[in-house]
Each structure stands twice: as structure tokens, then as C-alpha cells.
Amino acid sequence: MMHFADSLTFSGRKVVAAWAALPFPALSGSSLPDILSAHQQDVPWKLLSSWREQKVSCCFAQSVVLRGICREKSTSCPGQPRSPLHSCESPEEVLQQFFHTQFPGAFSTSHVLQQPCDTRPPFPQFFSPLLTRRGFLQDKAQGYSSGGVESIPVLAALQSSPGLRWLLAGLCRELQAPNVRRWSSFCTAGVEQDDFQEALEELKTLSQCYETGFGASEDEADSD
């Protein structure tokens, strides 16, 4: 995982954020272009990393894996123009086109696997009754319990984005608050005050690697 994260970082950056859609919000019988066309205003996956979630409008690099979406023929609603996503020839091209629209200029890689994620026991059964046995959304709840969901489509992503500056800067502030000289465990572990301060400076420098000119105002507001 460390080497994989390194492949998505550059210019002094070392940290990536994890995102996931579990399950991926797909209507039964719809194609990938249909699904993503319904999410033009925002990405259909949620942040897993521990910072205050906000809409990510840009990123430096990302790698996304989607599994469990069949290669069904794309459709569009009658009377509505086909989107650029419907002109793509493969699911990989659909994802790349979607990323190009959502994150212009970012380095993005995508992989599509047909096999869904197996959710039969002992997988935790916390799913909505609106899911089919294959994990697709429907308007009416099924007659069986959520334990009947046997598999789901899943999207997972690692992303290097400016929002990580807030996470790293917040961690730096939390670590500056306590006086490590008062903590016997630090001394027992052989942590020197000078080494600790040096590590804090490195963390602060790392957070600054995620600065962007147009995102500075947002970061300052977060720090307040």
C-alpha cells in the first residue's frame, strides 16, 4: 500500500485519502454512463479518511477501482441528448471521461472488474432493504431481509487532493498542544524533545505541499 500511495504522490507529497462507495449507487439494469450521468455535480463516493468531509473540487492524482458493474449497453432517456459518457466504448473510458470532467488536469487511473464484492455471511449485513440480492438499487423494498444481499458493486479510490492540507495541519496543531516532557511514556520510549519538534516541522512542511493558490482561502477558513 505504501508503494501504491507513492505512485500517486509527487512534489513532496506523501499522503493520500481513501474514498469508497459501498455499495456503488447503481440502479438495477442501468449502465455505467447512465449511473455517472446522474452524478455530474459530485462524485458518487464518500470520504473514509478522518477529516471534515467537504466537496472535493480538484485533486492532484487518483486511482479508482470499480467492480461489479456489468458491461450493459448504455442508454439515455427518450428526448434527452446523449452525454459524452454514452459515446465511450468501454467502462474504463467512461470513468476516464468522468474524471476529466470532475477533476480537469488531474492524473487519474481506473480499473474495472466485472466480479462484485461477495457479501454473504460472515460479511456484516447492514444493507438497505432497497437493495436487490446483487446490490443494485430499486424503488420498492424487497420482501426478504437485508441478509439476502449476496453481492454488491463497489467503488474504491485513493486520492491526493488539497483537502489533505487541512488534515495534516490539524494533526500538527493537536501534537503541538501537549508538553511531551510531562509524558513519561515518551521518555521511556526514548523520544527526545528536539527529535519531536523536528518531526512536527516535517509534518508542517508536508501539509504545505498540498497548498493550492485557489484553495488557500478555504484552508484558512478550516484552520479558524
Side-chain angles (χ1 to χ4, degrees):
M1 182 62 73
M2 180 179 64
H3 295 299
F4 184 45
D6 286 343
S7 68
L8 298 174
T9 54
F10 43 85
S11 300
R13 306 180 188 107
K14 300 179 181 180
V15 179
V16 293
W19 299 74
L22 187 82
F24 185 66
L27 292 174
S28 181
S30 59
S31 66
L32 183 58
D34 298 331
I35 298 165
L36 294 180
S37 293
H39 294 275
Q40 292 293 335
Q41 300 302 319
D42 200 2
V43 294
W45 52 88
K46 301 296 183 181
L47 178 68
L48 300 181
S49 299
S50 56
W51 93 72
R52 189 178 68 192
E53 184 173 355
Q54 54 185 323
K55 181 179 179 180
V56 177
S57 58
C58 68
C59 74
F60 306 117
Q62 62 184 345
S63 179
V64 180
V65 175
L66 173 64
R67 56 185 298 181
I69 299 297
C70 298
R71 297 172 178 263
E72 298 175 357
K73 184 178 180 180
S74 62
T75 60
S76 58
C77 297
Q80 293 184 355
R82 289 166 58 89
S83 71
L85 297 178
H86 290 86
S87 301
C88 298
E89 297 182 356
S90 67
E92 289 81 4
E93 290 184 12
V94 172
L95 284 177
Q96 287 294 341
Q97 178 65 37
F98 180 75
F99 297 147
H100 178 73
T101 302
Q102 293 287 336
F103 308 106
F107 170 75
S108 300
T109 64
S110 59
H111 303 277
V112 178
L113 306 176
Q114 291 192 23
Q115 183 180 5
C117 177
D118 188 358
T119 57
R120 289 172 294 185
F123 195 95
Q125 299 300 309
F126 46 67
F127 301 110
S128 166
L130 293 176
L131 291 183
T132 67
R133 292 185 183 275
R134 294 178 55 204
F136 291 94
L137 294 171
Q138 57 183 0
D139 295 330
K140 185 178 180 180
Q142 293 278 12
Y144 51 80
S145 66
S146 61
V149 178
E150 299 177 352
S151 65
I152 56 173
V154 175
L155 184 144
L158 290 180
Q159 187 181 81
S160 174
S161 67
L164 283 163
R165 180 194 175 192
W166 185 90
L167 171 66
L168 296 171
L171 177 60
C172 189
R173 289 193 299 270
E174 291 292 332
L175 292 174
Q176 285 177 330
N179 184 355
V180 296
R181 293 177 179 176
R182 289 182 161 185
W183 292 10
S184 59
S185 57
F186 273 77
C187 299
T188 304
V191 177
E192 298 291 340
Q193 181 69 22
D194 291 342
D195 294 338
F196 182 72
Q197 291 300 324
E198 182 180 353
L200 285 180
E201 288 300 320
E202 291 178 353
L203 184 60
K204 182 178 180 180
T205 300
L206 178 60
S207 70
Q208 294 171 349
C209 292
Y210 291 85
E211 291 182 358
T212 58
F214 58 85
S217 59
E218 293 182 3
D219 291 336
E220 292 171 359
D222 285 337
S223 63
D224 293 336

